[in-house]
Amino acid sequence: MPLPASISPFFYPRSLAIIGSADQDDNMGDLVLGNLVNAGYTGKIFPVNLKAASILGLPCLRKPDEIPEEDHPLDLAVICLPLGDCPRALRACAALPVKAVLFMRSGFNTNRNHDFDIAKELLEIAEEAGIALLGPNSLGIVNTSAKLNLCPQGGLTQTGHIAFFSQSSGFGFAMFSWAKENNIAFSSFVSLGDRKFLDESDLLTFWADDPQTKVIAGYLENVADGPRFLD
């Protein structure tokens, strides 16, 4: 998938929706919403939840198409749904439209035929609608200058000038714990997940021109596109 004209909606969204499910055991959507509010994010937030009337005092919409027209296009949607529900949710986002989508569900394995078919369907929907995708199996994004914490882990709010990406979410959060203990701050953090859509080279391209970022660091177990990465 080619790099969209801008992936800035992931880092500087003026409006976003968190699409979750009230019957999930881990309540990923609730955790992300709570950390976003605690970080001091000042943009518009639209919790979308079929079963909950409100979360953290914010009224919930039942479907993405209930987001008011004056807020179209939406900058970012965070999808915290079971795998089988993701294509339907992405189609609803495309209809608004939405500029960028973060998939935060885990357990996505494209070595399984069923998961591979869903990944292919998601890519087709996104390409047709011009949506930038991150994930699946991502554990989120942080941009401290925008007071944006879309991670299930809180406290990642100290502003700095180091951008950090990690293919391993566990390693990424361990790095943040180490940095906090040593008073080292970050501009932003991205958990790449399975990199089926955007990858480390897309982030390098974006962060090279990001005024908040002076240093780029990352952890990889392999490289998605070797020649592009070297370029």
Side-chain angles (χ1 to χ4, degrees):
M1 184 175 183
L3 179 66
S6 174
I7 61 173
S8 62
F10 285 113
F11 298 94
Y12 299 98
R14 294 164 296 178
S15 57
L16 61 86
I18 298 180
I19 304 173
S21 174
D23 56 1
Q24 290 172 205
D25 292 336
D26 59 3
N27 292 317
M28 177 72 80
D30 291 4
L31 287 172
V32 172
L33 178 59
N35 288 333
L36 178 65
V37 171
N38 290 335
Y41 175 71
T42 59
K44 291 186 177 181
I45 306 172
F46 299 100
V48 179
N49 194 301
L50 187 61
K51 297 185 178 181
S54 65
I55 300 175
L56 299 178
L58 296 173
C60 289
L61 306 177
R62 290 175 57 83
K63 299 178 181 179
D65 59 16
E66 295 179 5
I67 294 172
E69 287 189 11
E70 59 265 27
D71 294 297
H72 297 182
L74 195 69
D75 280 342
L76 177 64
V78 183
I79 296 180
C80 308
L81 292 172
L83 179 59
D85 295 332
C86 288
R88 182 172 68 251
L90 184 58
R91 290 188 188 279
C93 290
L96 285 179
V98 171
K99 296 177 182 178
V101 170
L102 167 64
F103 285 106
M104 292 192 63
R105 293 312 305 164
S106 61
F108 197 114
N109 184 354
T110 52
N111 290 323
R112 296 193 296 256
N113 289 339
H114 176 260
D115 292 11
F116 177 85
D117 291 342
I118 290 179
K120 181 179 178 182
E121 183 179 2
L122 293 173
L123 182 57
E124 290 171 351
I125 297 168
E127 287 184 329
E128 182 177 350
I131 298 173
L133 301 182
L134 179 64
N137 293 337
S138 171
L139 279 184
I141 294 173
V142 173
N143 182 10
T144 55
S145 65
K147 299 186 182 301
L148 182 77
N149 183 357
L150 293 172
C151 284
Q153 180 168 328
L156 311 179
T157 56
Q158 186 179 355
T159 303
H161 298 286
I162 303 171
F164 184 77
F165 64 83
S166 180
Q167 188 175 349
S168 163
S169 57
F171 183 90
F173 289 139
M175 175 64 75
F176 266 110
S177 297
W178 172 86
K180 187 175 182 179
E181 292 174 0
N182 290 275
N183 199 33
I184 297 172
F186 291 86
S187 59
S188 51
F189 162 73
V190 174
S191 167
L192 285 168
D194 284 352
R195 303 176 302 169
K196 297 303 178 185
F197 313 110
L198 298 182
D199 61 28
E200 61 276 0
S201 295
D202 297 318
L203 295 178
L204 290 171
T205 301
F206 174 77
W207 279 331
D209 295 324
D210 178 29
Q212 298 298 324
T213 298
K214 297 180 180 179
V215 175
I216 303 171
Y219 171 79
L220 292 173
E221 295 169 357
N222 52 58
V223 176
D225 183 337
R228 185 171 176 227
F229 181 78
L230 291 175
D231 288 343

